[in-house]
Amino acid sequence: MKTFKVDKKRLMEKILELSRIGALKGGGVSRLALTDADKMAREWLLQWMKALSLEVCIDPVGNMFGFWGSKDLSSTILMGSHLDTVATGGIYDGSLGVIAAMEVITTLKSLGVKPAGNIGVVNFTNEEGVRFTPDMMGSLFMSGGITREAVLNTPVVGRNDLTFQDELKKAGFSGDFDSTGFAPKAYLELHIEQGPILEHKSLDIGVVEKVQGINWTKFTLTGMANHAGTTPMDLRRDAGYVASQMGVYLRKLTREISRLVGTLGSLSFYPNLINVVPEKAVFTVDLRHPDAMELAEAQNKLEKYLLAVCGQEGVRSEQENLVRFDPVDFDQHLIATLYNTATNLGYRFDKMISGAGHDAQMMASICPAAMIFIPSKDGISHNENEHSSPEDIENGTNLLLNAVAKLGGL
Ligand code: HGY
Ligand code: MN
Ligand code: MN
Ligand code: MN
């Protein structure tokens, strides 16, 4: 079988170029969705898409598409990921998938070969979901999981005076391309693993078979502010105490339910003063599990425990379900194509489940989708020290290139 090779030097130069946009002192990047840094990254990609003579289309929530051929999605093999990052982001999360997709097209064009049908690249808006909830928002919109109005009216987290629509207009990336009209022929995403498994098993590649389910929940607890010195312990209605109990319980729950991961990632007290019993505590829980039933059971146990502790402490609890994404299985034909191609390229690979959420899990609801992982050094991500080696980056991009070539009949 004919194999194609990417230009590693050119690929790494592009990764370096992009890493300068939103660069942080510690070597990472911060490009929160629809901030100026995200806008600059989008403009950087737009220039590159135009230089490759791709047909550029922007949809109503700012998803950016570059088509080689026509913009008929139904005959398009779509590759991509996201350019937005968390506030303490690494330079590979999301960026790798978009750059690798562009490198695939660059390589094929330089060889003068074109796969059958159209080849497309997409940069999805707000994959990270930290500035606007939920995450994977752009791909959720494209796959029909959220309406245009709901996206546009979403407030910036913590700012009810600023909406997604305001920020999208300011960024200048609002378009009228109908991305929800047709599903692509296939969607492939190259991404860093963001965990330790591939490195631990000394593998080059992970062929992702499924993405675990994700629950994001925000809890607002209301007790009563009181004097830290004069209020007897059994007369307190301490919202801070209840919230801290939930952090401890979450760890216990993950020991009870195997493969469950739980994170109490954000917590704030009011009035948050050294000598005042906290009146309010607001915290979020990120729960994930590869099995939908187990995830639901964990969520129920968590809520039941919270109710009991609130009852004992005389604290009221309100809950907002920010995200409920089921586990998703990827397409077996695409997985087989990735297996065969990785074998031909001589890579050490294995199948795996994704711990992180990805745009591919949204796309899987409308078209055959699959993902390729490459190792993350020390399994670190969402951290400025995130790192993947140029060799692993080259391998992952070669696999994406040859899989697309195979799917395109080359
Ligand atoms: O949280 C996630 O897994 C995704 O990267 N936003
Ligand atoms: Mn990502
Ligand atoms: Mn991420
Ligand atoms: Mn992700």
Side-chain angles (χ1 to χ4, degrees), residues 306-371:
L306 175 61
L307 221 57
V309 183
C310 282
Q312 289 151 14
E313 188 68 16
V315 164
R316 188 164 46 82
S317 164
E318 287 154 84
Q319 168 175 340
E320 194 185 346
N321 296 343
L322 302 174
V323 160
R324 290 292 182 269
F325 293 146
D326 282 336
V328 160
D329 292 306
F330 284 141
D331 178 78
Q332 287 306 320
H333 169 65
L334 282 183
I335 288 168
T337 304
L338 290 173
Y339 270 24
N340 299 336
T341 312
T343 306
N344 278 323
L345 290 167
Y347 296 148
R348 295 162 302 172
F349 67 93
D350 197 356
K351 58 184 180 306
M352 62 189 298
I353 292 175
S354 172
H358 295 289
D359 293 311
Q361 81 189 87
M362 300 303 155
M363 295 305 286
S365 63
I366 57 168
C367 71
M371 291 188 79

Side-chain angles (χ1 to χ4, degrees), residues 83-252:
L83 295 182
D84 71 301
T85 71
V86 294
T88 55
I91 68 171
Y92 305 96
D93 175 3
S95 307
L96 171 65
V98 176
I99 291 173
M102 291 292 282
E103 172 59 28
V104 163
I105 292 182
T106 307
T107 305
L108 291 171
K109 277 184 170 249
S110 66
L111 296 170
V113 287
K114 182 175 176 316
N118 306 309
I119 303 289
V121 180
V122 59
N123 164 35
F124 282 115
T125 303
N126 187 37
E127 188 277 347
E128 292 296 356
V130 293
R131 191 165 185 246
F132 304 94
T133 313
D135 57 349
M136 284 82 81
M137 202 180 232
S139 48
L140 187 64
F141 166 75
M142 179 171 178
S143 55
I146 188 169
T147 64
R148 181 176 170 281
E149 291 63 38
V151 172
L152 296 182
N153 297 330
T154 303
V156 170
V157 169
R159 292 263 322 255
N160 289 331
D161 62 330
L162 206 56
T163 65
F164 182 101
Q165 185 165 24
D166 301 330
E167 295 296 271
L168 184 66
K169 253 200 213 126
K170 191 170 141 233
F173 276 90
S174 173
D176 55 8
F177 174 65
D178 179 10
S179 63
T180 59
F182 292 97
K185 218 166 100 185
Y187 175 76
L188 281 171
E189 182 169 354
L190 170 63
H191 205 286
I192 53 171
E193 178 200 340
Q194 301 180 290
I197 296 168
L198 291 176
E199 185 180 60
H200 184 69
K201 292 182 169 177
S202 311
L203 294 175
D204 304 312
I205 294 286
V207 175
V208 187
E209 294 212 301
K210 92 182 282 182
V211 184
Q212 59 182 351
I214 307 176
N215 282 4
W216 283 2
T217 313
K218 179 178 162 188
F219 294 97
T220 303
L221 306 181
T222 308
M224 192 169 92
N226 220 325
H227 194 297
T230 58
T231 314
M233 293 313 287
D234 60 349
L235 296 183
R236 294 183 181 208
R237 292 171 48 209
D238 184 342
Y241 161 74
V242 175
S244 7
Q245 286 301 304
M246 294 316 293
V248 173
Y249 178 72
L250 201 48
R251 186 56 64 94
K252 181 171 164 293

Side-chain angles (χ1 to χ4, degrees), residues 2 4 52-54 67-72 75-77 104-120 185 401 404-410:
K2 185 168 174 28
F4 302 93
L52 275 179
S53 323
L54 303 184
F67 291 101
W68 179 18
S70 87
K71 57 184 179 186
D72 166 13
S75 57
T76 297
I77 298 172
V104 163
I105 292 182
T106 307
T107 305
L108 291 171
K109 277 184 170 249
S110 66
L111 296 170
V113 287
K114 182 175 176 316
N118 306 309
I119 303 289
K185 218 166 100 185
L401 166 61
V404 166
K406 193 164 161 45
L407 292 167
L410 289 180

